[in-house]
Amino acid sequence: MAFRKSVYVVTCVVTLLAVGSHSQLNVCGRPPLNTRIVGGQNAPLGSWPWQASLHLDGSHVCGGSLINNQWVMSAAHCFSSTSTAGWVIYLGRQTQQGTNPNEVSRTLSQIIRHPSYDSQTSNNDIALLQLSSTVDFTDYILPVCLAAGGSTFYNGTNSWVTGWGNIEEGVSLPSPGTLQEVELPVVGNRQCNCFYGVGSITDNMLCAGLQAGGKDSCQGDSGGPMVSKQNSVWIQSGVVSFGIGCARPDKPGVYTRVSRYQAWITSQISSSQPGFVTFTSSGTDGDNSVTCPGLQPLTPTTPQTTTISPFICGEAPLNNRIGGFGSRWGCFSSSQPNAGEWTVFLGRLRQNGSNPFQVQVGVSSITLSNLTGTNIALLKLASKPMFTDYIRPVCVDLGNAAFPVGTKCWVTGWGANQGGEQEVLQELQATVESCGTNSSSDNICTAALQLEQGDEGGPLVCQQGSSWFQAAVITLDSNGTANSSLITRASGMQVFPRTARFATFLTRNVGTLPSPANATNPTTSSTPATTSVAAGATSIPWSFSILLFLFLSILHFALLSS
């Protein structure tokens, strides 16, 4: 087994949720100068703008990938220690010799190797490098998107690997040392274990190469990215790790599987989180049928990483209270919003600081309702997120749920000037009241609430049985107060548009929505439990986290004030 770093002699060893160019996900994985489908050897200028060249004491040692404006990801085996002395990182570089007019360089302020990295087995071969200062994004310097947890890369998935490593075993890249690219198919882990010896390839690894050999990464490519394209976005699936020789038959390159490290990566980066995208392979995985001596056959009871368990909406595994949880819904200022400018954050608790359970997903289309007055929008996600204890769908009231007077409901969101320095998700309890002369079929009424700008579009959720239903959407006027046209000032009552008002629009565009946990035995709203909730918006404890509500698993529900 050989690591794929260069060997040489040395003498010493605010992010807004949905705002265009400043959203990490809207920037990542979209190289404007890369329109290639197939390629040769030399990578065209600007094709891989996240590619980094890692130099130690003046010599290229490893590759890496830019994942936000101050962090580069590489392989743990590239670093014999966490000392930053002697390291320089080059971004926007095309050749190792000569001039690179689009290049910038940075020293390192921190090297973080994965704490469970094993140099003997190469398990957890991943590292994060903090640059000494941020870099500006250009056509030649952009971050790559990262494969989110639950991503699937079936056998044969088309991939690209880039770097300045050897072009053959023992043959250095000739001058001027132009960045190289190679197109490779994924080799399933079962097949790769058969090639390397059963047990050598762990679930934290990913293989790619041709069975006949001839194309591969090599020494000097270590730490560099393996990427695959999904729609218009490039997603990093692997980090160059090791192999036996280079481009040998039946010895594909082995890569660190990026999707296994989403929680670790987000826990190490406190701001400007990288863009994580769920990569979903189509069809079936041919690797499941691979067998060889010593390899255990798959059985129906064997857990499959590609299987998503059936779900029912409205369940919150980490919420054992009568209170609620919530989501952040975007609000559109245009009747024809550009889906590509929007980002959905799932599993987020804090607007500032670490969110280890967070997933970012782009938006592929936006569909607007067209009723008179307040309207809503449906956002179709660019990829399907994996459901976890922190990411689940909410049930949606289409007119069949009952929320009698006195029902305790909850409003959640990230209103302005709330949640402290980290802007933690806030919750606010609401009590259902009679709507009086207002239509109770189109609206739900509560006692007056202290809402803030940033709460608009959020959900009003109420519990029935063991399921949570979104009963209404929150709308504010331009002054940041609940829409004045929907407030009876004399009584202090607030009136919000019920989701049932949009039942036809929702069913026409979504189809059948997820069923509640007690769908076969509907009940009226449960009696509120004794829960201490301070007046006004209060921080949700970490143990409750947040759940971002989805429709079906690919649709996001947002408010549009018309």
Side-chain angles (χ1 to χ4, degrees):
M1 180 180 76
F3 291 124
R4 301 201 161 178
K5 68 175 180 179
S6 293
V7 179
Y8 63 101
V9 177
V10 295
T11 58
C12 58
V13 161
V14 200
T15 302
L16 297 178
L17 289 176
V19 180
S21 62
H22 294 290
S23 170
Q24 194 71 53
L25 185 61
N26 289 334
V27 174
C28 76
R30 301 173 186 270
L33 303 182
N34 185 339
T35 58
R36 299 174 64 85
I37 297 174
V38 296
Q41 294 301 306
N42 287 346
L45 182 65
S47 293
W48 313 106
W50 43 80
Q51 179 73 46
S53 176
L54 280 53
H55 284 228
L56 179 61
D57 297 328
S59 297
H60 170 84
V61 178
C62 284
S65 54
L66 186 69
I67 60 175
N68 71 6
N69 63 356
Q70 199 172 2
W71 288 84
V72 166
M73 185 168 65
S74 189
H77 79 257
C78 292
F79 307 94
S80 59
S81 73
T82 57
S83 171
T84 60
W87 286 98
V88 177
I89 310 302
Y90 293 92
L91 297 162
R93 168 166 286 209
Q94 177 71 2
T95 61
Q96 292 294 343
Q97 293 88 42
T99 59
N100 286 282
N102 305 302
E103 176 181 274
V104 299
S105 64
R106 295 290 188 273
T107 56
L108 291 179
S109 61
Q110 187 177 189
I111 297 173
I112 305 174
R113 294 190 298 179
H114 194 280
S116 299
Y117 167 61
D118 187 331
S119 61
Q120 299 300 311
T121 64
S122 295
N123 203 25
N124 302 304
D125 188 12
I126 188 170
L128 293 174
L129 316 176
Q130 186 176 23
L131 305 180
S132 56
S133 62
T134 59
V135 295
D136 293 328
F137 295 153
T138 70
D139 283 352
Y140 304 92
I141 301 173
L142 287 171
V144 67
C145 294
L146 303 182
S151 294
T152 56
F153 295 91
Y154 286 172
N155 183 57
T157 299
N158 190 60
S159 307
W160 288 84
V161 180
T162 50
W164 288 277
N166 291 352
I167 57 173
E168 294 181 38
E169 286 187 39
V171 179
S172 299
L173 181 65
S175 181
T178 303
L179 179 66
Q180 300 293 289
E181 62 180 13
V182 62
E183 188 177 16
L184 300 168
V186 167
V187 175
N189 277 30
R190 290 177 64 81
Q191 182 66 72
C192 201
N193 260 300
C194 293
F195 287 149
Y196 275 88
V198 175
S200 300
I201 307 301
T202 73
D203 291 340
N204 296 324
M205 301 174 185
L206 181 68
C207 300
L210 301 175
Q211 185 170 356
K215 291 185 177 183
D216 197 3
S217 54
C218 203
Q219 277 67 47
D221 292 322
S222 281
M226 178 168 75
V227 298
S228 293
K229 194 173 186 180
Q230 181 170 260
N231 299 320
S232 61
V233 175
W234 288 94
I235 301 169
Q236 184 171 352
S237 58
V239 176
V240 178
S241 183
F242 71 91
I244 295 180
C246 300
R248 295 184 186 182
D250 295 339
K251 290 296 182 288
V254 184
Y255 302 79
T256 306
R257 189 181 290 262
V258 172
S259 62
R260 300 278 291 187
Y261 299 93
Q262 180 175 354
W264 178 73
I265 292 169
T266 56
S267 71
Q268 301 301 313
I269 299 176
S270 59
S271 62
S272 188
Q273 288 287 332
F276 283 91
V277 177
T278 302
F279 188 96
T280 305
S281 297
S282 59
T284 58
D285 191 358
D287 190 56
N288 290 341
S289 60
V290 171
T291 61
C292 65
L295 188 66
Q296 293 297 318
L298 291 176
T299 66
T301 58
T302 301
Q304 294 297 300
T305 58
T306 58
T307 298
I308 301 177
S309 300
F311 69 94
I312 51 180
C313 70
E315 291 186 321
L318 302 184
N319 186 337
N320 57 7
R321 59 193 292 190
I322 192 67
F325 39 84
S327 60
R328 172 66 167 90
W329 310 95
C331 296
F332 302 102
S333 59
S334 168
S335 60
Q336 294 182 325
N338 182 353
E341 296 179 349
W342 291 81
T343 301
V344 174
F345 288 72
L346 312 174
R348 168 168 282 205
L349 178 66
R350 304 174 178 90
Q351 294 294 356
N352 298 314
S354 174
N355 286 286
F357 307 107
Q358 176 177 289
V359 175
Q360 290 179 251
V361 189
V363 176
S364 62
S365 66
I366 300 174
T367 305
L368 311 181
S369 65
N370 58 0
L371 299 180
T372 301
T374 299
N375 275 285
I376 63 171
L378 287 170
L379 280 67
K380 186 174 182 179
L381 303 184
S383 59
K384 296 181 181 181
M386 179 74 74
F387 291 144
T388 69
D389 283 350
Y390 304 91
I391 301 173
R392 294 273 178 124
V394 69
C395 297
V396 181
D397 172 32
L398 297 181
N400 298 321
F403 307 109
V405 171
T407 299
K408 301 298 182 184
C409 302
W410 292 85
V411 172
T412 49
W414 287 278
N417 304 314
Q418 300 292 321
E421 183 179 353
Q422 291 187 328
E423 297 184 29
V424 179
L425 178 69
Q426 302 291 288
E427 61 179 5
L428 184 65
Q429 193 176 52
T431 303
V432 174
E433 293 191 353
S434 170
C435 285
T437 58
N438 293 284
S439 170
S440 59
S441 61
D442 286 345
N443 305 298
I444 190 167
C445 305
T446 73
L449 301 173
Q450 183 60 47
L451 300 174
E452 304 287 346
Q453 283 285 3
D455 290 324
E456 63 269 30
L460 174 74
V461 295
C462 310
Q463 192 174 31
Q464 288 201 343
S466 60
S467 295
W468 289 90
F469 283 80
Q470 179 165 354
V473 289
I474 305 304
T475 178
L476 306 178
D477 64 20
S478 60
N479 296 319
T481 58
N483 194 327
S484 57
S485 65
L486 299 178
I487 296 180
T488 305
R489 295 283 184 181
S491 64
M493 180 177 65
Q494 291 183 194
V495 186
F496 300 108
R498 288 187 62 168
T499 54
R501 180 173 181 263
F502 308 99
T504 301
F505 170 73
L506 291 171
T507 54
R508 181 176 67 247
N509 289 281
V510 179
T512 304
L513 293 172
S515 301
N518 57 339
T520 58
N521 185 28
T523 63
T524 58
S525 181
S526 59
T527 302
T530 302
T531 306
S532 175
V533 180
T538 59
S539 296
I540 291 181
W542 171 249
S543 59
F544 297 123
S545 302
I546 70 165
L547 306 173
L548 189 124
F549 305 140
L550 304 173
F551 294 138
L552 285 185
S553 78
I554 59 173
L555 294 175
H556 186 64
F557 183 54
L559 173 72
L560 173 67
S561 297
S562 60

